[in-house]
Amino acid sequence: MNFLPDSPHTHYRRGLIAACSSFIIWGTLPLYWYFLSHVEAGEILAHRIAWSFIFMIFVLIFTSRKQLTTDLHFLAQDKKRIGFLILAALLITANWLIYIWAVTHGHVIDTSIGYYLNPLISVLLGVVCFSEKLSMPKQISVVLAGIGIALMTWQSGHFPWIALLVSGTFALYGAVKKGLHLNPVSSITLETFIVLVPSIFYIYNLSQNGRGHFPFGDVTTALLLLGAGIVTAVPLLLFSYGANELPLNVLGFTQYISPTLAFFWGIFFFREPFSADNLMSLSLIWVSLIIFSLGERLQTQTSRYKQRTRI
């Protein structure tokens, strides 16, 4: 039996598989919500929160019970972090609600554009909230993305609010999480716990009024609602593992798997309208992301080189 520790290459490979798997699951979620399109977004969200919490409890029992205790003590020592945790829970709940509503109302491509924009919105939040400096490639990428959004607005005649709400809530969620420093399993469990009571009350109220789909609806719908917790928690756990094992520049490239899959689902499965003019606008965003990613990679390599020369 081999008791030798895993090599860095093994950790890298496992991290890459985990990260890619998480983004493939996220990119395929529009299909999952499509089969629940006869259920209102609020009910789907409530079940997503409730079953995610139950699933995470099982994960905690088998993996991170001691870590949860440590994180709770950590939160108790700094009441400000409790406020950040509540804010994170509200932001991810808002993001889930907007996303589910958009997918079930024919706006899959808009959600795809939103998640393409997410890293660029995060950059702007870094400048505003953390006084981070923008390199020249990042400045160019932000300007190009802004031009792309302006073109979309002009071509469609309305502001792309769905894309910006999806990207904005998730980017803000990431910024808040940056200040929490909690174990991913503990954080997801606590975030769902915070909004658990309203979710259960909402599910109960729907069932009392005869409008609920669980457990008295058809079996397929009931199973899909129950599975909402699994399809929510599993990719988050895979992503957390991948983030710990991969360099940020690799993780940055893999995150585009999800919106790319959603984009193609929107065109070829949901048959949403997408013209050549729309493609031109989105191409500006794609170019901005390529410049952004290459700039991030160059910045990382430069930083490593400077560290080596100091040694």
Side-chain angles (χ1 to χ4, degrees):
M1 188 176 291
N2 185 12
F3 291 100
L4 293 174
D6 291 331
S7 67
H9 176 73
T10 301
H11 281 283
Y12 179 90
R13 182 166 50 83
R14 289 176 180 172
L16 187 62
I17 291 171
C20 289
S21 298
S22 70
F23 289 118
I24 288 170
I25 294 171
W26 276 326
T28 310
L29 274 184
L31 293 181
Y32 195 92
W33 306 131
Y34 168 78
F35 290 111
L36 283 169
S37 55
H38 58 289
V39 181
E40 66 173 86
E43 184 178 0
I44 298 172
L45 174 67
H47 280 282
R48 188 177 189 182
I49 291 167
W51 296 114
S52 293
F53 176 75
I54 292 171
F55 181 81
M56 293 308 301
I57 289 296
F58 281 104
V59 173
L60 277 171
I61 290 171
F62 293 106
T63 61
S64 305
R65 277 179 294 177
K66 291 182 179 179
Q67 184 62 51
L68 177 62
T69 303
T70 302
D71 285 334
L72 287 173
H73 283 304
F74 180 62
L75 285 169
Q77 292 170 2
D78 187 353
K79 300 297 189 294
K80 184 179 175 182
R81 293 188 190 278
I82 297 176
F84 278 127
L85 182 66
I86 294 171
L87 182 57
L90 294 176
L91 283 168
I92 196 60
T93 300
N95 178 266
W96 286 351
L97 179 61
I98 295 162
Y99 179 77
I100 292 169
W101 181 91
V103 169
T104 54
H105 287 76
H107 298 284
V108 175
I109 292 177
D110 287 331
T111 66
S112 168
I113 294 168
Y115 284 116
Y116 276 128
L117 289 172
N118 181 65
L120 300 175
I121 301 293
S122 295
V123 165
L124 291 177
L125 285 174
V127 173
V128 174
C129 301
F130 301 102
S131 301
E132 295 177 358
K133 302 296 182 182
L134 284 185
S135 63
M136 183 58 70
K138 289 182 179 179
Q139 291 178 25
I140 294 170
S141 65
V142 170
V143 170
L144 285 174
I147 294 171
I149 293 172
L151 272 175
M152 279 182 197
T153 304
W154 178 68
Q155 289 161 359
S156 62
H158 64 273
F159 194 70
W161 62 272
I162 293 175
L164 289 175
L165 280 175
V166 166
S167 58
T169 51
F170 197 75
L172 280 168
Y173 172 71
V176 171
K177 292 269 281 187
K178 184 177 179 180
L180 274 175
H181 304 293
L182 294 180
N183 173 271
V185 176
S186 301
S187 183
I188 297 165
T189 307
L190 292 171
E191 286 163 25
T192 50
F193 174 72
I194 287 169
V195 288
L196 181 64
V197 172
S199 300
I200 292 175
F201 178 78
Y202 188 76
I203 293 169
Y204 174 77
N205 187 52
L206 285 176
S207 65
Q208 290 296 105
N209 294 331
R211 293 166 48 216
H213 292 79
F214 187 93
F216 306 112
D218 63 272
V219 176
T220 302
T221 299
L223 289 174
L224 285 170
L225 288 171
L226 191 151
I230 297 174
V231 299
T232 297
V234 168
L236 284 171
L237 294 171
L238 288 170
F239 173 76
S240 298
Y241 179 82
N244 288 333
E245 301 293 339
L246 291 176
L248 280 177
N249 56 351
V250 176
L251 192 67
F253 273 112
T254 59
Q255 73 176 323
Y256 300 128
I257 293 173
S258 173
T260 302
L261 281 174
F263 175 74
F264 284 113
W265 288 127
I267 291 176
F268 297 110
F269 183 83
F270 291 91
R271 302 290 182 182
E272 293 182 12
F274 194 78
S275 66
D277 289 338
N278 297 140
L279 182 60
M280 183 173 64
S281 304
L282 187 57
S283 294
L284 282 170
I285 295 174
W286 281 335
V287 171
S288 74
L289 290 172
I290 292 169
I291 295 172
F292 174 85
S293 299
L294 291 175
E296 188 78 11
R297 185 180 181 87
L298 181 63
Q299 188 174 343
T300 302
Q301 289 175 343
T302 304
S303 176
R304 287 176 180 171
Y305 174 75
K306 287 180 179 179
Q307 287 176 353
R308 284 198 297 267
T309 55
R310 286 175 189 159
I311 296 174

